[in-house]
Amino acid sequence: MNQGPEFDFIIVGAGSAGCVLANRLSAKPDVKVLLLEAGGPEVGLYHRAPAAFYKLFKTKADWAFYTEPQAEMNARELFWPRGKVLGGSSAINAMIYMRGNPRDYDDWHVPGWNYREVLPYFKKLETHFLGPSEYHGNNGPLNVEQRRYTNPLSYAFVEAGVQAGLKRNDDFNGAEQEGVGLLHVTNKNGVRHSAAGAYLKPVLSRPNLAVLTGARVHRVLMEKSRAVGVEYRHQGQVKRAQGSRVIISGGSVLSPQILMLSGIGPGEHLRQHGISVVQDLPVGQGLWDHLALPVIYRCKTGVSLDKAENLANLIQFLTRQNGPFVSNVAEAGAFVRVMPDAPAPDLQYHFGPAYFADHGFTRPVGNYFTLGPTLIAPESRGFIELKSADPEANPRIQPRYLTERHDLEVLQRGVELAQEIASQKAFDPYRGEEAAPGRGKELRAYIRQYAQTLYHPAGTCAMGRVVDGGLKVYGTENLYVMDASVMPGVIRGNTNAPAIMVGERGADLLMGVERPMSNDERTPRNAGNPVL
């Protein structure tokens, strides 16, 4: 195997957090940084045009994972798209800018990570079209826009939500999360602004930053409990790179896999695969995700996005970065409480002025609009495990969806409220028959057959269980995890912005800007249920 050069930091994964880390850590010219990414760069129209995001699924930019059969969902194996590209999932997502509920961070009960303490990092990462305020920044790398094009059906959804009794909310990341309104997007001048576009591309010329694409990391190299580098495959050769500190930012599926392949994980599970145990930790446990399903209506007019893919609209996008191709499809949304004892919103709506089901793969003839009730405070928990010790075999993804009755109840109420919103006067000019689930259908059976991931897995290397509040892996030296996998409890909302925030705060921790963790904070909690 070839011996690589020594770096101060080796970052595994150029996703939402990894790009941030590469930018911030290489800002000091005397710090040498290596960023390894299994995929390639963002290339082509589908990465640029917001409306084309779903066309990136099952392409070379997507890991295209599948779950294990889900016992409570008719034994279905659910498709999980995850970004295999510079920018990670921020390069293939629907670009919704959402922080989650302030209570989420307070409920983590991790010193240094409550809402008051993470808010400055959200402000630091953004240039927000609303301008500087108590809640927003205007000098960060990530651009947040009010979409340049919004379909009339999305305005109708907002009005219908108000007519159904919801509060109008023009900023879900401001003083209050609940209500209904248009969504803000991570676009810049009408074009996708991924973590790679925001953080990585502007600094690629730094001589102390090396970025290697097509590099599949197999494991962390450990000397007893100390991380000293990584092993990876590049252009058919297995190579090694030495580093003073190693940061795993592979996301909630691959970060736990890499740790387990490196001997860090549940001891008995590792031994079953012939892997020597370096540190026995509940790596991969505590997986949570957001489930969503479509409530679809025919549209009586031709105003929907279903027929927007034409030459005139393409030219409008290419020449003026405007028109339907600028739509991120999920243009409007809402946050509501449907369970009487919910301490914060337990349901989110994503509204799209088009037929959107089965991740966009099903496209019937006609015009439609879709309301997507989304479970954002799930109680069901699953896990990631190894299928084998082969570092290039996909891991076992077992989210155990709907194993808690509460989650099914929330989604059923979400469908019923979606039907109530769609029945309001604001939709009268547009609303045709209900295409799915259809009036009179048994809702729980519909949920089990048609619910899908909303692409927000997290929690598999959680703070307090696998990493401490400084994001260092318990019982190790110089080894860190920084991505959505460290989130110990739910985020009530889309997880891209929180993952970027983790990268921002993690960079400060690594550079000594933040205080060191106390001994108490470095002691792992009980390996039982994650903190909620």
Side-chain angles (χ1 to χ4, degrees), residues 241-306:
Q242 293 179 306
S244 300
R245 284 184 274 187
V246 176
I247 310 157
I248 308 299
S249 296
S252 293
V253 176
L254 293 174
S255 285
Q257 181 188 30
I258 292 169
L259 285 181
M260 286 186 279
L261 290 168
S262 309
I264 300 165
E268 183 58 31
H269 177 62
L270 299 186
R271 284 187 284 269
Q272 288 172 358
H273 290 286
I275 298 172
S276 298
V277 179
V278 174
Q279 188 69 28
D280 190 338
L281 290 171
V283 173
Q285 302 300 305
L287 171 65
W288 59 266
D289 186 30
H290 296 155
L291 271 181
L293 71 158
V295 178
I296 306 174
Y297 289 82
R298 290 188 178 274
C299 182
K300 294 190 294 187
T301 73
V303 72
S304 78
L305 289 177
D306 291 291

Side-chain angles (χ1 to χ4, degrees), residues 67 70 72-73 76 78-80 288-294 346-350 359 372-380 399-404 406-412 414-415 447-457 491 493:
T67 71
Q70 295 303 288
E72 299 298 325
M73 301 179 72
R76 288 189 294 137
L78 274 63
F79 170 58
W80 269 28
W288 59 266
D289 186 30
H290 296 155
L291 271 181
L293 71 158
D346 50 8
L347 197 76
Q348 179 182 2
Y349 284 94
H350 294 82
H359 310 283
T374 306
L375 176 72
I376 53 171
E379 293 187 357
S380 302
R400 300 181 69 244
Y401 288 128
L402 302 182
T403 51
E404 295 294 332
H406 160 274
D407 296 351
L408 189 62
E409 177 70 19
V410 170
L411 283 173
Q412 178 175 338
V415 174
I447 292 167
R448 294 183 192 279
Q449 184 59 37
Y450 292 101
Q452 298 280 358
T453 178
L454 200 75
Y455 325 119
H456 300 154
I491 292 291

Side-chain angles (χ1 to χ4, degrees), residues 491-506:
I491 292 291
R492 293 174 173 87
N494 311 76
T495 52
N496 182 50
I500 293 173
M501 179 276 292
V502 168
E504 284 280 13
R505 193 161 193 283

